Amino acid sequence: MYLCIMEQDKNITLKKFFKSVADSTRVLKYLDTSLPWYNCVEEVIGHFYSLKEAEASLADHPIDDNIVGYSIEGPEFGRKIDHEELDPLSEKEFPDKYFVSDESPEFFITYNADKTVNAKYTFGEHKPGGSRYLNEPNAFKAGDIVWVLQPGYRDISTGLSAIYPAKVVQTLTLDFIKKYYKVWLEEYTKRHIEENPFPSEEFKQRTIESRINSLLDLEWDSIVVKPLVLLRGIDSSFGNNEEEFIPRYMIYPYKNLDV
């Protein structure tokens, strides 16, 4: 008789984010020239079996004047569907449940440079109608100046992220996201006019609804901000000249980072 023991994955990740000198060639436009911004380097400190282990490693990690924050990210809540699991030649319509695979992490915690907690995210109930929709604690009010630490906001040539100043507009709502994607679709249509020069209203509505339905749970736990410096990046919205929504846990209180 053999006993099979499944090895547990080290699927909890501890990262640090530290600032580096801003590259002026990334700037598209300044909305406030008095406030600096920085390139931001993301570095994995380690992978761990448990949150407790990751927190212990964070506590022991050396302090560095260039560090602006840390994060501990749990495993993805959902799993991705492998194409090999589905028969592409089959005409059978698979139920929606086969494609529901929210890739939000089970939890995400960000920390300030002094290792105090900045914000926490826990998976579930953030979409409209859920118990956490519009009910998460928000340390900021409309008009506040904040730091946005945006790992996805990368420069395509260098791979560097950015930490940049922004002004808080509001908490993300369903009404805002409908208007956001309406503007997005208008801009997208202009750029792809040759592909579909006269999109029908039905097509427009279906496209907007598809975009909204594809938002992850963690994206609904976001704050709408207006960047105060517009940067070149592969994830910028409509030329990066619009308000954008950022996960709440990636927004930090504004302070002087040069001391």
Side-chain angles (χ1 to χ4, degrees):
M1 180 177 179
Y2 294 94
L3 180 63
C4 181
I5 300 176
M6 298 293 290
E7 184 177 350
Q8 183 182 0
D9 291 332
K10 289 185 177 182
N11 53 14
I12 295 174
T13 303
L14 171 62
K15 295 181 181 179
K16 62 180 176 182
F17 307 98
F18 51 93
K19 62 183 175 68
S20 61
V21 179
D23 177 2
S24 60
T25 63
R26 292 186 65 181
V27 177
L28 297 175
K29 182 181 178 182
Y30 279 107
L31 277 71
D32 188 330
T33 56
S34 67
L35 300 178
W37 69 276
Y38 305 88
N39 281 324
C40 187
V41 181
E42 173 184 336
E43 185 176 300
V44 174
I45 296 174
H47 301 283
F48 305 89
Y49 292 115
S50 69
L51 174 59
K52 186 176 181 179
E53 285 183 351
E55 289 175 329
S57 179
L58 172 60
D60 291 337
H61 194 73
I63 298 292
D64 186 315
D65 289 341
N66 288 320
I67 292 177
V68 295
Y70 305 85
S71 71
I72 298 179
E73 181 177 1
E76 286 184 2
F77 182 83
R79 72 183 183 92
K80 299 177 182 177
I81 301 299
D82 191 330
H83 290 296
E84 295 180 357
E85 295 178 54
L86 306 177
D87 181 1
L89 301 180
S90 173
E91 295 183 0
K92 177 183 177 182
E93 291 188 6
F94 290 89
D96 288 342
K97 67 180 181 179
Y98 285 95
F99 299 96
V100 174
S101 183
D102 195 312
E103 297 168 24
S104 301
E106 291 182 6
F107 62 86
F108 203 115
I109 308 171
T110 54
Y111 301 82
N112 298 300
D114 63 1
K115 301 180 182 180
T116 57
V117 172
N118 175 58
K120 293 182 179 182
Y121 161 84
T122 304
F123 178 84
E125 298 291 320
H126 288 98
K127 297 183 179 184
S131 61
R132 289 191 174 115
Y133 174 63
L134 301 181
N135 284 326
E136 289 287 12
N138 183 357
F140 309 108
K141 62 182 183 299
D144 282 353
I145 304 299
V146 295
W147 283 118
V148 174
L149 205 166
Q150 180 65 306
Y153 205 139
R154 298 186 187 279
D155 181 282
I156 195 168
S157 60
T158 65
L160 290 174
S161 304
I163 177 169
Y164 58 92
K167 182 178 291 187
V168 173
V169 178
Q170 65 174 80
T171 301
L172 182 66
T173 65
L174 181 57
D175 286 342
F176 175 89
I177 208 66
K178 287 179 178 178
K179 295 175 183 176
Y180 180 92
Y181 279 123
K182 183 178 179 180
V183 174
W184 168 84
L185 184 59
E186 290 173 355
E187 181 68 18
Y188 183 87
T189 302
K190 291 176 185 176
R191 295 180 181 180
H192 299 79
I193 190 70
E194 294 180 359
E195 299 174 16
N196 191 358
F198 303 107
S200 66
E201 289 303 315
E202 180 185 358
F203 171 81
K204 292 179 181 179
Q205 187 61 33
R206 190 170 66 248
T207 302
I208 291 172
E209 289 178 356
S210 175
R211 281 275 168 169
I212 293 174
N213 292 336
S214 69
L215 288 176
L216 303 179
D217 181 81
L218 71 84
E219 291 176 299
W220 282 107
D221 186 11
S222 290
I223 295 175
V224 179
V225 301
K226 188 168 186 63
L228 297 180
V229 57
L230 308 181
L231 304 174
R232 183 180 73 246
I234 60 174
D235 291 336
S236 58
S237 58
F238 347 118
N240 200 17
N241 197 25
E242 300 289 334
E243 295 168 347
E244 54 190 9
F245 55 97
I246 304 294
R248 179 177 52 86
Y249 56 80
M250 296 311 293
I251 295 180
Y252 285 74
Y254 187 87
K255 65 178 181 178
N256 186 354
L257 297 180
D258 289 329
V259 294

